[in-house]
Amino acid sequence: MSDETGGIGSLSSIARGASLFAIGKVVADIFKFILEIVLSRGLGGELYGLYAYGHTILRIGVSFTTVGVDRAILKYIPQYDGETRQNAIFALSILTAAVGAILASGLLYLLAPTISSYTFDKPVFVDTVRLFAVVVLFDTFAKVFYAIFKSKEVIELEVVSNRFLRPIGRVVGVAIALCLGGSLFGVMVAVLVVSGLVLLVTVYL
């Protein structure tokens, strides 16, 4: 009887998680699409191209800075029931991600002029890459916390922070920056501020 109850509970948990993830992904994709429209219309073709290239660098950077700790969290935290062991894994994950993020962000910040000289060679792109370097730092820490949420089966917190607040916040922040007359640098400042605020909310959750 207990096995049957456990099986039903597991299926219910999987169904709940899948439903929340699906809803979150739809919302995130919608607002990402809206963000692309706002950016392309507000910045124009050339500056939008600079932003898109910088965002590609951001995605590549974040994929490396976590150095696999997000996957390690998903694997090892569920294996331990004791809070002490779980906290130890969490602390080690944060430390490892911090080292990777600081090194990658610092390197990207320093190499921004070199990257610019070999690609677009525009002063504004140097500032763009450097602001994206800071966003890499914020997004790396956020990604570790999202893995914690998943490992503890509180997927709703990951959905709220990553799928709702982040894309919606970026649309609102970028729209405000453009309405205030900001160009690419103003847009990047807005993205940076939103990323920082989302990280603070994630840590609080």
Side-chain angles (χ1 to χ4, degrees), residues 8 22 34 63 122 134 145 155 159 162-163 172 174 204:
I8 294 174
I34 294 173
S63 67
K122 293 180 179 294
V134 183
F145 279 95
I155 187 69
V159 170
N162 190 28
R163 312 289 175 176
V172 173
V174 166
Y204 173 76

Side-chain angles (χ1 to χ4, degrees), residues 36-47:
E36 297 302 315
I37 295 175
V38 172
L39 285 168
S40 60
R41 295 293 297 273
L43 293 176
E46 182 179 3
L47 292 181

Side-chain angles (χ1 to χ4, degrees), residues 8 20 31 35 56 66 77 119 141 147 152 161 163-165 167 172 179 200:
I8 294 174
L20 289 172
F31 278 92
L35 178 61
T56 299
T66 55
I77 282 189
T119 52
F141 285 113
K152 301 292 287 184
S161 179
R163 312 289 175 176
F164 287 2
L165 294 182
V172 173
C179 288
L200 289 176

Side-chain angles (χ1 to χ4, degrees), residues 43-93:
L43 293 176
E46 182 179 3
L47 292 181
Y48 175 73
L50 294 178
Y51 173 88
Y53 181 51
H55 190 261
T56 299
I57 294 174
L58 165 68
R59 293 176 61 184
I60 294 173
V62 173
S63 67
F64 283 104
T65 52
T66 55
V67 290
V69 296
D70 52 331
R71 295 185 179 181
I73 287 171
L74 291 173
K75 179 179 179 180
Y76 291 110
I77 282 189
Q79 292 183 7
Y80 300 105
D81 294 328
E83 185 176 344
T84 301
R85 294 293 297 274
Q86 289 183 344
N87 286 341
I89 294 172
F90 176 56
L92 181 61
S93 300

Side-chain angles (χ1 to χ4, degrees), residues 55-203:
H55 190 261
T56 299
I57 294 174
L58 165 68
R59 293 176 61 184
I60 294 173
V62 173
S63 67
F64 283 104
T65 52
T66 55
V67 290
V69 296
D70 52 331
R71 295 185 179 181
I73 287 171
L74 291 173
K75 179 179 179 180
Y76 291 110
I77 282 189
Q79 292 183 7
Y80 300 105
D81 294 328
E83 185 176 344
T84 301
R85 294 293 297 274
Q86 289 183 344
N87 286 341
I89 294 172
F90 176 56
L92 181 61
S93 300
I94 286 289
L95 179 61
T96 304
V99 172
I102 291 172
L103 288 176
S105 297
L107 189 63
L108 185 59
Y109 187 92
L110 293 174
L111 291 178
T114 304
I115 295 173
S116 177
S117 66
Y118 281 100
T119 52
F120 291 99
D121 198 18
K122 293 180 179 294
V124 67
F125 186 64
V126 175
D127 295 331
T128 300
V129 172
R130 284 178 168 169
L131 288 173
F132 266 125
V134 183
V135 176
V136 166
L137 192 65
F138 290 162
D139 284 3
T140 297
F141 285 113
K143 193 173 181 180
V144 173
F145 279 95
Y146 298 151
I148 288 288
F149 294 155
K150 292 176 182 177
S151 70
K152 301 292 287 184
E153 296 185 3
V154 282
I155 187 69
E156 62 271 15
L157 298 184
E158 191 271 345
V159 170
V160 167
S161 179
N162 190 28
R163 312 289 175 176
F164 287 2
L165 294 182
R166 179 185 301 276
I168 294 174
R170 285 186 175 176
V171 169
V172 173
V174 166
I176 291 174
L178 291 173
C179 288
L180 293 176
S183 188
L184 180 58
F185 183 79
V187 165
M188 282 308 307
V189 170
V191 171
L192 177 62
V193 170
V194 170
S195 296
L197 291 175
V198 170
L199 176 59
L200 289 176
V201 172
T202 303
V203 173

